[in-house]
Amino acid sequence: MYLVSRPLKAKHAAKKLSRKKRTAMKNTSNSIIQPAGFYIVGLSSMSYSNIYVMFLTVLYVITVICNIFLITIIFYDHRLHVPKFMAVGNLALVDIVLSTSLVPGMIKTYIVLDNFVPFKLCLLQMYTYYTFLSLEPFSLCILSYDRFIAICFPLRQESINTNTRMAYIIGAVWFFVCTVVLYSTSVSTLTFCGSLEVNSYFCDYAPVLVLACSDVTSQWNYATILTILFTAGPSIFIFLTYMGILSAVFTMKNNQSRFRALATCTEHFIIVALFFFPIVTIFCLTFFGIIWDPNVGLVCLSLTSLLTPCVNPILYSLKTKEVRSRIYSLLTQRWFVHPLKCSH
């Protein structure tokens, strides 16, 4: 996740700082030099970058409205207070914060034309973005776990996957991710003595790390390991749960039961594909040194980070029968019940 945009190019760029220069800086001063802030310069060479950011702003508004609407329905409808919709609500919250960590800053940079980000605000944005970007695949894992229990153990579902257990799982995932990312994205102990231009569309970890004058070998290694683990781990878990689901489905004798079981997984499968396919593709292209326009990578990453949170609530609202029925009941109560009251 951390180095998915330029895992090798940024690392090689960081190594260009010679040993003599590092030694000279170390001898000159042992104190940590922190700048007042950084300048975001990614996408600045792209034509009509402000129009692209306006498009992302529209996606952001849709994301916030739809996800808040979905959370509100789940919160107020007691029929939806079940493990599945606890996981759906958790994903909606992650989507809101993930989008909010990016778009307001991009509006400030590319529409208001103020690309300076104070140092502490940069650290906050970096931590928030990577925390909730990392929570996204784990939230998808929680949803796949719920579908696995529901289809493979239908008679024991209510005893195995209780609301309390789901709350513990979600809480444990949040604690784990928040703790790990807090350590991995820490750049406050690094010295910055050269350029302050961040070649990304926000205060991104890898481009900021390239600017450091300190030895960042341990940070690179740790971030690379986490990138692989946070991408491969959830992918493998989701793959295994779907293998279990398919195995259980094909043992069903009734074709209608098979269709219903698979239909409950369609929205989750689409979301998984939307999230993992672009990230894995971009990582593989850059990892194996395939040359391309840097703006293309930044556009793909920004679009992936914002498109999936926008699609998630729409899929779960339109494809899930329980949510659709609740929306229908809300609309019918508003348009039919209230006029009758007014007529009396």
Side-chain angles (χ1 to χ4, degrees):
M1 298 295 178
Y2 305 92
L3 307 179
V4 76
S5 58
R6 290 175 293 276
L8 290 182
K9 293 178 183 178
K11 189 173 182 178
H12 293 327
K15 288 183 175 180
K16 287 183 179 179
L17 204 59
S18 64
R19 289 185 179 180
K20 291 182 178 180
K21 186 176 179 182
R22 292 182 186 275
T23 305
M25 287 185 297
K26 187 175 181 181
N27 294 333
T28 303
S29 175
N30 292 324
S31 61
I32 297 173
I33 302 174
Q34 293 181 352
F38 298 100
Y39 294 92
I40 308 300
V41 298
L43 299 179
S44 58
S45 61
M46 187 180 78
S47 302
Y48 306 108
S49 59
N50 56 340
I51 296 177
Y52 174 66
V53 173
M54 289 179 185
F55 167 70
L56 295 183
T57 304
V58 173
L59 288 183
Y60 172 66
V61 172
I62 296 173
T63 299
V64 172
I65 293 174
C66 291
N67 277 293
I68 290 177
F69 182 65
L70 183 60
I71 291 173
T72 303
I73 290 176
I74 294 172
F75 181 79
Y76 282 105
D77 191 350
H78 294 284
R79 292 171 296 179
L80 300 181
H81 291 180
V82 294
K84 175 183 177 180
F85 289 102
M86 289 178 64
V88 171
N90 171 67
L91 180 63
L93 179 60
V94 170
D95 288 339
I96 291 173
V97 183
L98 176 61
S99 302
T100 304
S101 68
L102 284 180
V103 177
M106 294 183 73
I107 293 173
K108 174 177 175 288
T109 301
Y110 298 100
I111 297 179
V112 182
L113 301 180
D114 179 10
N115 68 337
F116 180 77
V117 181
F119 185 77
K120 291 184 178 179
L121 184 60
C122 176
L123 296 184
L124 178 62
Q125 184 186 32
M126 187 187 301
Y127 174 71
T128 304
Y129 172 76
Y130 280 109
T131 296
F132 287 89
L133 182 66
S134 302
L135 281 171
E136 187 87 12
F138 284 100
S139 299
L140 296 176
C141 286
I142 295 173
L143 283 167
S144 66
Y145 159 78
D146 174 79
R147 291 299 85 205
F148 175 78
I149 298 298
I151 295 174
C152 297
F153 305 97
L155 300 179
R156 298 172 54 196
Q157 177 186 1
E158 294 183 359
S159 60
I160 295 176
N161 195 21
T162 62
N163 286 354
T164 303
R165 186 164 296 173
M166 180 59 74
Y168 281 136
I169 292 173
I170 294 174
V173 167
W174 276 65
F175 177 78
F176 168 73
V177 172
C178 291
T179 304
V180 171
V181 176
L182 180 63
Y183 175 78
S184 63
T185 57
S186 177
V187 296
S188 58
T189 57
L190 300 178
T191 295
F192 297 88
C193 54
S195 174
L196 299 177
E197 294 185 348
V198 178
N199 189 23
S200 184
Y201 52 92
F202 75 107
C203 256
D204 201 352
Y205 182 72
V208 169
L209 211 60
V210 170
L211 303 178
C213 300
S214 310
D215 183 11
V216 295
T217 305
S218 60
Q219 284 88 345
W220 278 114
N221 294 336
Y222 190 74
T224 303
I225 292 171
L226 284 186
T227 299
I228 296 172
L229 289 180
F230 279 15
T231 304
S235 303
I236 294 171
F237 180 84
I238 293 171
F239 175 78
L240 292 176
T241 55
Y242 270 97
M243 288 299 99
I245 288 171
L246 290 176
S247 177
V249 166
F250 286 119
T251 58
M252 297 177 182
K253 298 179 180 180
N254 190 342
N255 289 332
Q256 189 174 5
S257 299
R258 292 180 181 179
F259 177 77
R260 288 178 179 176
L262 290 175
T264 61
C265 301
T266 53
E267 66 269 14
H268 180 259
F269 182 78
I270 294 172
I271 292 171
V272 169
L274 284 174
F275 180 78
F276 281 104
F277 181 75
I279 288 180
V280 172
T281 301
I282 294 169
F283 182 82
C284 290
L285 288 174
T286 53
F287 188 84
F288 291 107
I290 298 177
I291 306 300
W292 63 347
D293 187 352
N295 285 331
V296 175
L298 294 178
V299 168
C300 290
L301 284 174
S302 59
L303 192 59
T304 301
S305 300
L306 294 168
L307 185 60
T308 306
C310 181
V311 173
N312 288 352
I314 297 173
L315 282 177
Y316 278 105
S317 298
L318 299 179
K319 294 285 292 180
T320 307
K321 182 180 178 181
E322 297 91 336
V323 177
R324 288 202 313 268
S325 62
R326 181 54 179 162
I327 294 173
Y328 177 76
S329 64
L330 286 173
L331 292 176
T332 53
Q333 286 176 10
R334 177 174 294 274
W335 290 104
F336 293 103
V337 176
H338 292 298
L340 288 174
K341 289 181 179 180
C342 293
S343 63
H344 290 296

